Amino acid sequence: MRESTRREGAWQFLTYTFILLGTVVTLVPLYWIFVASTLPESEFLSSTDPRLLPGDAFLSNFQSLQARENVQFVGSIGQMQEYIQLGPVYFAYDFWHLWNPGAIENSVFIAVVYTLLSLLLCSMAGFAFAKYEFRFKKPIFYAILATLILPIQLLVIPLFLLMSQLDMTNTYWAIILPWAANPLGIFLMRQNMKSIPDALLESARMDGATEFQLYYKIALPTMKSSLAALAIILFLFQWNLFLFPLVILEQSKYTIPVAINQLVGAQRVYYDQIMVAATLSVVPIFVLFLFLQKQFVSGILAGSVKE
């Protein structure tokens, strides 16, 4: 009995030690980026000892970042004074013409719209593959899964030609639509929706529910945790997408990864601006994860035990 208790205690100690090390390895680089963003570039480049406490140069570094001409990182409202004089109603009506979005706003808009659209498509496809029988169901599903092995680099030229023929280059939709039906999302939704009892769906059909009502009123409410986990995965995928936005977007619609890349010049690397941009780029992801962390953990675990 004592030997068993000691063994369990040892495994528990190793487990917590591993988790603690993983946490440190994950958080230290993020904290170092934050501290570096608060230091003057001269101190950042000349200091050989790691600094533990943040400095006071974050705002000046941010202003330096915003003053760049080749890329606008945070958007601004132009001609505000003139439009305010025309009245709040007109100002509200014409707000979108005033707003000049920067890289952060572009990334947030693209990632949010992509995540919502992809959740809808993936959940509908997952429901169909999990609960309906149709011809070539398995070959179609495995063909969708096979697209996971295709690297994005292989798809850039065909997608660019397609978007060019559709006259959609330099639009948000050119980034959102190609990956809206995410194969990983379809797989996760299919695996989770197989846990919905068929008897529950049959009972609803007997009560007169339509097929769409089965999906909307029964399947979706039971998949909240899985949808939240998938939302974080999809948001991160779109947030970190670099090569295709670099190819198909022009400067006014640059996303965060592309905008940060513009801070690396041919003769100089703007480290202070890069650190500020990297710090700002982490904030939306951090907020999203804090908001959905409980659902994320339970959703990932739910998907790991299904067939």
Side-chain angles (χ1 to χ4, degrees):
M1 186 67 179
R2 288 183 178 177
E3 184 65 25
S4 176
T5 304
R6 288 177 183 174
R7 190 175 302 171
E8 290 180 1
W11 275 113
Q12 192 174 37
F13 174 77
L14 290 175
T15 300
Y16 283 123
T17 302
F18 180 77
I19 293 174
L20 181 61
L21 288 175
T23 304
V24 171
V25 170
T26 303
L27 293 182
V28 165
L30 294 176
Y31 182 71
W32 182 83
I33 291 175
F34 168 70
V35 172
S37 70
T38 64
L39 303 177
E41 188 178 24
S42 57
E43 181 180 348
F44 171 76
L45 294 176
S46 61
S47 177
T48 55
D49 298 327
R51 178 164 173 166
L52 298 179
L53 298 177
D56 56 359
F58 183 86
L59 288 180
S60 61
N61 290 339
F62 176 73
Q63 291 171 354
S64 174
L65 174 65
Q66 277 299 94
R68 294 183 63 88
E69 295 181 356
N70 62 333
V71 57
Q72 194 72 21
F73 215 82
V74 179
S76 60
I77 298 178
Q79 299 180 340
M80 179 185 293
Q81 189 67 32
E82 177 184 345
Y83 278 82
I84 287 178
Q85 292 176 357
L86 295 174
V89 175
Y90 187 83
F91 175 80
Y93 171 77
D94 211 37
F95 177 80
W96 293 111
H97 292 103
L98 293 170
W99 185 251
N100 181 24
I104 288 182
E105 289 90 343
N106 290 333
S107 280
V108 169
F109 178 81
I110 290 173
V112 169
V113 174
Y114 167 78
T115 301
L116 295 176
L117 179 62
S118 191
L119 283 178
L120 175 66
L121 296 179
C122 292
S123 61
M124 294 181 75
F127 184 66
F129 280 114
K131 294 300 173 185
Y132 294 98
E133 295 296 331
F134 50 87
R135 294 186 66 184
F136 308 118
K137 174 182 170 180
K138 287 187 177 180
I140 293 174
F141 180 70
Y142 291 131
I144 292 174
L145 284 186
T147 61
L148 282 171
I149 66 175
L150 297 176
I152 291 178
Q153 293 83 349
L154 190 66
L155 303 174
V156 168
I157 294 178
L159 285 176
F160 179 82
L161 294 176
L162 176 62
M163 292 301 159
S164 179
Q165 292 175 355
L166 296 174
D167 197 21
M168 294 178 66
T169 56
N170 194 34
T171 64
Y172 294 132
W173 294 111
I175 308 297
I176 295 172
L177 292 179
W179 288 276
N182 189 290
L184 177 62
I186 294 174
F187 172 75
L188 291 177
M189 285 294 99
R190 181 242 191 191
Q191 297 303 97
N192 283 276
M193 286 187 174
K194 290 181 75 173
S195 65
I196 301 174
D198 293 334
L200 180 63
L201 301 180
E202 287 299 328
S203 176
R205 285 193 183 96
M206 294 178 65
D207 290 337
T210 64
E211 298 303 313
F212 183 76
Q213 287 174 329
L214 297 180
Y215 158 76
Y216 179 70
K217 293 188 175 180
I218 297 179
L220 280 189
T222 59
M223 292 291 112
K224 286 182 179 178
S225 298
S226 301
L227 289 171
L230 181 59
I232 293 178
I233 295 172
L234 295 172
F235 191 91
L236 285 175
F237 167 78
Q238 186 59 252
W239 191 263
N240 294 324
L241 203 58
F242 170 73
L243 183 57
F244 192 57
L246 175 66
V247 171
I248 206 165
L249 294 179
E250 295 179 0
Q251 183 177 317
S252 61
K253 289 188 173 62
Y254 277 170
T255 55
I256 285 179
V258 182
I260 292 178
N261 183 60
Q262 302 305 307
L263 304 178
V264 181
Q267 298 179 346
R268 180 186 171 188
V269 179
Y270 299 87
Y271 289 105
D272 54 341
Q273 300 175 17
I274 290 176
M275 293 303 163
V276 172
T279 301
L280 294 175
S281 69
V282 172
V283 174
I285 299 173
F286 188 66
V287 172
L288 178 67
F289 186 78
L290 284 181
F291 184 68
L292 298 175
Q293 60 175 330
K294 290 183 179 179
Q295 290 82 358
F296 177 75
V297 174
S298 57
I300 289 294
L301 292 178
S304 66
V305 297
K306 302 298 188 296
E307 178 187 351

